[in-house]
Amino acid sequence: MESSTLTFAMLDKRIESLPLHPSYQFTPSRRMAWGNSIGFASALLGQIISKTLPNSRWALATVVVLLVIELTAFIVAWTAELPGFNLKPSSERRESAEILDFDMPHHEALIDWLRDFPRERLQAMSDFAGFRVERLRSKLPLLIGGLDRLGILPILAALVIQLKDMHWPPQASWPEVFLFALLMGLYWLSVLQVGVRFRLELYDMLLKKALAP
């Protein structure tokens, strides 16, 4: 039996130390990193020029050039890894089965490690994790509604509807720019909170399995 008292920090460290299947070990190439950096920098510079300089031919030409650089950079970045992708359904199913075979022994070892601790401690941690999960589930709808159930596809559809008639360069006012930044910040915050809830649910599930006969 483990001599130290089990904590959520110990459990989280153990989860983070689990090996990942090679398919998950994605390291962006220098081509992707440079392409994304140039693309975002060009987009930001183009927005600043379009908002600060007079509406002259020189400013319009500069913004158009930056737009071309931005699109080219993003295309170069996101096609850097495409040759390694395999989108055949049979390959996806086979890779999914291989991932399950890879993960299962590590999952069972983690459950066995938890069973070395006193059941009273496991039960107390499971009860508290379940309580915190329910608290998060009740709080998240106040900020994001049912976003964690709908996913990102409805958001993309709404963006397409909003932007389909947009012309270039966009003539967004500063309040609109700040509002968009605020919305993106709130969305990112909601994504982080959903990630916290998923990890709490994982704690609870592992502890319950360790408590099972």
Side-chain angles (χ1 to χ4, degrees):
M1 182 179 295
E2 295 277 350
S3 58
S4 58
T5 302
L6 179 64
T7 63
F8 284 108
M10 289 171 58
L11 178 56
D12 188 77
K13 185 177 180 180
R14 193 83 176 195
I15 293 172
E16 290 296 323
S17 66
L18 293 177
L20 292 176
H21 190 270
S23 62
Y24 290 144
Q25 297 173 5
F26 174 76
T27 302
S29 62
R30 293 184 63 184
R31 175 179 163 185
M32 174 175 273
W34 276 103
N36 284 328
S37 300
I38 294 173
F40 284 118
S42 300
L44 179 61
L45 186 58
Q47 183 66 25
I48 293 174
I49 290 176
S50 66
K51 297 299 296 179
T52 57
L53 294 181
N55 190 17
S56 62
R57 292 183 178 180
W58 180 85
L60 179 60
T62 303
V63 171
V64 170
V65 170
L66 288 172
L67 174 62
V68 172
I69 294 174
E70 173 191 346
L71 295 177
T72 303
F74 283 135
I75 290 173
V76 169
W78 290 101
T79 56
E81 309 298 333
L82 286 181
F85 291 162
N86 193 337
L87 301 180
K88 294 181 180 179
S90 59
S91 299
E92 289 294 320
R93 290 192 294 267
R94 183 171 60 253
E95 182 175 329
S96 177
E98 291 173 354
I99 292 173
L100 291 174
D101 289 333
F102 180 87
D103 288 342
M104 186 173 177
H106 303 294
H107 175 80
E108 292 174 341
L110 180 57
I111 299 298
D112 291 338
W113 173 77
L114 283 171
R115 285 175 175 158
D116 287 337
F117 293 93
R119 288 181 58 85
E120 294 79 9
R121 180 62 179 174
L122 298 179
Q123 187 66 60
M125 291 179 65
S126 176
D127 292 342
F128 188 68
F131 167 74
R132 294 301 294 267
V133 167
E134 291 304 320
R135 289 276 294 173
L136 270 179
R137 284 176 179 169
S138 63
K139 285 182 178 180
L140 282 175
L142 297 176
L143 178 63
I144 60 174
L147 178 62
D148 58 326
R149 289 188 174 89
L150 290 175
I152 198 171
L153 287 179
I155 298 175
L156 294 178
L159 286 176
V160 169
I161 294 174
Q162 290 290 326
L163 302 178
K164 64 183 179 64
D165 297 325
M166 176 178 276
H167 60 279
W168 186 264
Q171 299 298 323
S173 63
W174 283 116
E176 291 173 336
V177 172
F178 289 131
L179 178 60
F180 180 76
L182 177 62
L183 290 175
M184 291 301 296
L186 289 175
Y187 178 76
W188 180 245
L189 178 62
S190 68
V191 170
L192 294 178
Q193 290 299 306
V194 171
V196 171
R197 196 196 78 191
F198 287 163
R199 180 52 62 95
L200 281 172
E201 289 174 343
L202 178 59
Y203 296 157
D204 192 29
M205 181 269 293
L206 291 172
L207 291 165
K208 280 182 168 60
K209 295 194 82 170
L211 285 165

